[in-house]
Amino acid sequence: MFIKRSQLSTVQHSRACGHFTYIYPVISRRSRGLSIGVNLNLDNRCNYDCVYCEVDRGVVGSETVVDPDSFGQELYQILADIKSQPHGLEVRDVTFAGNGEPMAVRSLARCIDLASGILDALGFTQTPVVVITNGTFLHRRWGLQALQSLDAAGGEVWIKLDAGDQEAMTRINGTHFPLQRLEENIFDASRILPVTLQSMFMKRWGQPPAPESVGHYLACLKRLIEGGALISKVQVYTVARQPRSSHITALDATTLGEIACRIRRETGLSVEVFA
Ligand code: SF4
């Protein structure tokens, strides 16, 4: 299955790609190019219910059990096809994200090991494995194993942090997962490998985030830094595609840039902005 540039887009991230079950290639803003997406959440479920989520939970998933070997075969096939194209696109990363929380999948570590081995075998030595997670399983045995596999693979973990107070987190992420536990998970994960934080800022009912809400978020970042968390960067972004919730819309580039400046100024962290 050859991928043409015309088949890929930053505004259309369909999980359906050819006959693949687990793989969906996309042009990703945050990866800055072709990203081989991996969806292990075939049941279409997530333990969060973010207001900006684009996954249609009305569509009932097909399966719940992941077959790592089938995943490995699909990944090998798509990467071998890309490799065989004389002027093929550069593969920026292999990213576990998908229709739910990848760290909820108990075989994630095995899949990371497979992905790393396949990338090496096909000569994609500069292509990292990335896991995008909401951070809620990092204190579980299988979450820890996934982090250790990522570290061994020279990979990256990108952890969602959208709020710095429990009320905002519950409202934005549709969860009662304790913010304090999430902070501890981020801290513990960073002891295994440096973490990238992903933070979504958006308009609700046409209004930007309240200044006190941004203040709570900054205080949370400062708590993490003061606690010794190793944060390689913060990705500040806004909605790129219309979420299911129609009252959620993109934040303008100026306001997003101002938030990014505050993060840099008040925490000293490196910040990438995706307006
Ligand atoms: S964590 Fe990701 S998949 Fe889950 S609800 Fe939020 S945006 Fe959707």
Side-chain angles (χ1 to χ4, degrees), residues 74-93:
E74 288 188 6
L75 184 63
Y76 186 93
Q77 184 186 341
I78 196 166
L79 289 175
D81 281 351
I82 292 168
K83 191 86 180 171
S84 71
Q85 297 178 50
H87 303 291
L89 293 161
E90 180 190 355
V91 180
R92 302 288 297 179
D93 55 41

Side-chain angles (χ1 to χ4, degrees), residues 22 38-43 63-71 105-108 111:
Y22 301 100
V38 182
N39 173 33
L40 299 182
N41 301 93
L42 303 180
D43 58 2
E63 302 167 47
T64 54
V65 178
V66 170
D67 178 354
D69 291 334
S70 295
F71 153 71
V105 176
R106 310 255 173 141
S107 55
L108 177 61
C111 292

Side-chain angles (χ1 to χ4, degrees), residues 116-186:
S116 173
I118 290 164
L119 285 166
D120 280 351
L122 289 172
F124 290 91
T125 52
Q126 302 302 312
T127 305
V129 178
V130 177
V131 174
I132 301 180
T133 174
N134 62 27
T136 55
F137 290 88
L138 294 170
H139 59 301
R140 302 290 185 190
R141 176 182 45 80
W142 57 93
L144 193 60
Q145 287 170 344
L147 281 178
Q148 288 164 339
S149 286
L150 258 187
D151 183 43
E156 300 172 20
V157 63
W158 299 359
I159 305 176
K160 183 186 297 296
L161 180 71
D162 292 334
D165 62 280
Q166 189 67 54
E167 186 274 331
M169 179 179 165
T170 297
R171 174 168 41 76
I172 294 169
N173 300 125
T175 180
H176 291 288
F177 190 84
L179 175 62
Q180 188 180 345
R181 176 77 255 179
L182 178 60
E183 288 183 29
E184 288 166 7
N185 283 4
I186 291 169

